């Protein structure tokens, strides 16, 4: 199986893997080695378990005629590097790139979801992470779409998105408790997903996806300082020429169409926001 990293004409680098028919035990990459999936154990004093001191990314690979292609791998890993830097963890993009490719190859995957995770491990309790050991792993799985790849019913959450002045919009593990609370609330009300708004009535994003709206043929990418700067969002803006700006909840309710997007969600049409239903 050959493996290489290339770049598209739009500088969206792809990692390609030639297909293989060989069976492979599921592996994950951990601190420089490929090991059997499920063989690792974290101790009960793992810092990230208690305080959420970790950084992750969600990345997708797609099967192509030439092998698997990883969607915008450099951009995902650069965003992860920023989160690690914020928490004081060293992060080598070249090493992480090799780890992603090696894990895909070991698991013989074409279409895949890729989860790199950096986190603080043992070292006792307390919030000071200075000098603590930290780790990096990469796991892969068969593609699992966020929002189930179908039309999605969305509620407006009573919770507010973490403000960027408190937690920067990066994929910091602890920050996603905010999304878990909103998702649980939405599910309890019979919806599939939750949408965050700010105190002024402006839309932020969903729990794990950015938002777009379409009105009279014009596409708008919802922008907000508290929202994650999505890589799929960036690609869709380039493809559609969408304007990027803040928008109120009322504008979304008045729109002809609304959809969510993200690496795991891809592009997910929204069929309903609260009582407002959109055309099928």
């Amino acid at each position: 199986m050959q493996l290489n990293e290339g770049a598209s004409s739009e500088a969206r680098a792809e990692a390609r893997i030639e297909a293989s028919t060989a069976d492979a035990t599921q592996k994950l990459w951990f601190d420089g080695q490929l090991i059997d999936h499920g063989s690792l154990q974290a101790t009960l004093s793992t810092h990230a378990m208690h305080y959420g001191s970790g950084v992750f990314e969600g990345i997708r690979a797609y099967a192509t005629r030439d092998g698997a292609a990883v969607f915008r791998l450099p951009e995902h890993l650069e965003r992860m590097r920023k989160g690690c830097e914020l928490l004081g963890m060293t992060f080598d993009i070249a090493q992480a790139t090799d780890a992603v490719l090696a894990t895909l190859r070991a698991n013989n995957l074409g279409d895949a979801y890729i989860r790199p995770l950096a986190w603080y491990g043992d070292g006792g309790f307390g919030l000071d992470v200075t000098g603590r050991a930290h780790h990096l792993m990469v796991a892969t799985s068969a593609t699992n779409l966020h929002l189930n790849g179908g039309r999605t019913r969305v509620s407006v959450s009573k919770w507010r998105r973490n403000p960027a002045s408190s937690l920067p919009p990066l994929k910091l593990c602890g920050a996603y408790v905010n999304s878990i609370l909103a998702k649980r609330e939405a599910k309890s009300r019979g919806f599939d997903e939750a949408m965050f708004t700010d105190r002024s009535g402006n839309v932020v994003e969903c729990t794990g996806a950015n938002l777009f709206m379409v009105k009279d043929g014009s596409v708008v990418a919802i922008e907000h300082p508290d929202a994650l700067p999505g890589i799929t969002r960036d690609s869709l803006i380039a493809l559609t020429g969408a304007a990027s700006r803040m928008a109120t909840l009322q504008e979304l309710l008045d729109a002809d169409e609304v959809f969510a997007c993200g690496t795991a969600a891809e592009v997910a049409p929204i069929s309903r926001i609260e009582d407002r239903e959109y055309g099928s």
Side-chain angles (χ1 to χ4, degrees), residues 155-261:
S155 69
V156 179
S157 181
K158 69 178 182 182
W159 301 100
R160 303 295 182 197
R161 176 52 105 196
N162 304 311
S165 57
S166 297
L167 279 171
L170 295 167
K171 298 186 84 68
L172 307 177
C173 293
Y176 277 77
V177 172
N178 182 224
S179 291
I180 292 170
L181 293 175
K183 189 84 166 182
R184 279 176 52 81
E185 179 206 6
K187 290 286 190 177
S188 72
R189 296 184 55 212
F191 290 87
D192 306 306
E193 175 63 309
M195 173 192 298
F196 292 105
T197 59
D198 66 19
R199 295 186 184 279
S200 299
N202 296 306
V203 173
V204 183
E205 61 182 341
C206 289
T207 63
N210 296 123
L211 286 160
F212 281 69
M213 67 178 182
V214 182
K215 180 68 174 179
D216 297 329
S218 296
V219 183
V220 174
I222 306 306
E223 182 178 309
H224 197 282
D226 299 338
L228 183 77
I231 293 168
T232 301
R233 175 185 185 273
D234 178 66
S235 294
L236 288 177
I237 290 172
L239 290 170
T240 65
S244 179
R245 65 172 177 83
M246 293 182 69
T248 65
L249 174 60
Q250 190 58 52
E251 285 184 275
L252 260 68
L253 297 177
D254 291 339
D256 301 323
E257 180 182 352
V258 179
F259 59 91
C261 73

Side-chain angles (χ1 to χ4, degrees), residues 36-48:
D36 290 339
H37 197 282
S39 65
L40 283 177
Q41 293 183 350
T43 69
L44 296 180
S45 61
T46 297
H47 195 270

Side-chain angles (χ1 to χ4, degrees), residues 20-272:
S20 171
T21 58
D23 291 333
T25 301
Q26 285 295 299
K27 301 283 187 180
L28 60 80
W29 189 97
F30 172 72
D31 285 355
Q33 294 185 345
L34 285 165
I35 62 174
D36 290 339
H37 197 282
S39 65
L40 283 177
Q41 293 183 350
T43 69
L44 296 180
S45 61
T46 297
H47 195 270
M49 185 186 303
H50 292 270
Y51 301 110
S53 53
V55 184
F56 71 95
E57 276 293 327
I59 308 172
R60 288 287 297 274
Y62 294 92
T64 74
R65 184 173 55 188
D66 300 318
V70 181
F71 177 67
R72 299 190 66 173
L73 179 59
E75 290 87 345
H76 279 99
L77 294 182
E78 171 59 20
R79 186 170 65 186
M80 188 171 178
R81 184 200 63 78
K82 291 178 180 177
C84 288
E85 182 180 57
L86 195 68
L87 288 181
M89 287 187 279
T90 57
F91 184 78
D92 186 329
I93 289 179
Q95 180 191 47
T97 299
D98 290 344
V100 167
L101 302 181
T103 310
L104 282 171
R105 178 173 59 186
N107 292 326
N108 192 34
L109 290 173
D111 289 328
Y113 182 79
I114 306 160
R115 169 53 56 86
L117 171 69
W119 76 98
Y120 280 106
D122 288 340
F125 304 119
L127 296 175
D128 186 4
V129 296
T130 305
R132 291 184 183 273
H134 58 272
H135 306 282
L136 175 65
M137 62 158 275
V138 176
T140 60
S141 65
T143 300
N144 182 21
L145 285 177
H146 179 55
L147 305 182
N148 300 318
R151 297 186 64 81
T152 304
R153 300 164 301 158
V154 175
S155 69
V156 179
S157 181
K158 69 178 182 182
W159 301 100
R160 303 295 182 197
R161 176 52 105 196
N162 304 311
S165 57
S166 297
L167 279 171
L170 295 167
K171 298 186 84 68
L172 307 177
C173 293
Y176 277 77
V177 172
N178 182 224
S179 291
I180 292 170
L181 293 175
K183 189 84 166 182
R184 279 176 52 81
E185 179 206 6
K187 290 286 190 177
S188 72
R189 296 184 55 212
F191 290 87
D192 306 306
E193 175 63 309
M195 173 192 298
F196 292 105
T197 59
D198 66 19
R199 295 186 184 279
S200 299
N202 296 306
V203 173
V204 183
E205 61 182 341
C206 289
T207 63
N210 296 123
L211 286 160
F212 281 69
M213 67 178 182
V214 182
K215 180 68 174 179
D216 297 329
S218 296
V219 183
V220 174
I222 306 306
E223 182 178 309
H224 197 282
D226 299 338
L228 183 77
I231 293 168
T232 301
R233 175 185 185 273
D234 178 66
S235 294
L236 288 177
I237 290 172
L239 290 170
T240 65
S244 179
R245 65 172 177 83
M246 293 182 69
T248 65
L249 174 60
Q250 190 58 52
E251 285 184 275
L252 260 68
L253 297 177
D254 291 339
D256 301 323
E257 180 182 352
V258 179
F259 59 91
C261 73
T263 300
E266 296 184 321
V267 178
I270 290 174
S271 62
R272 176 181 169 189

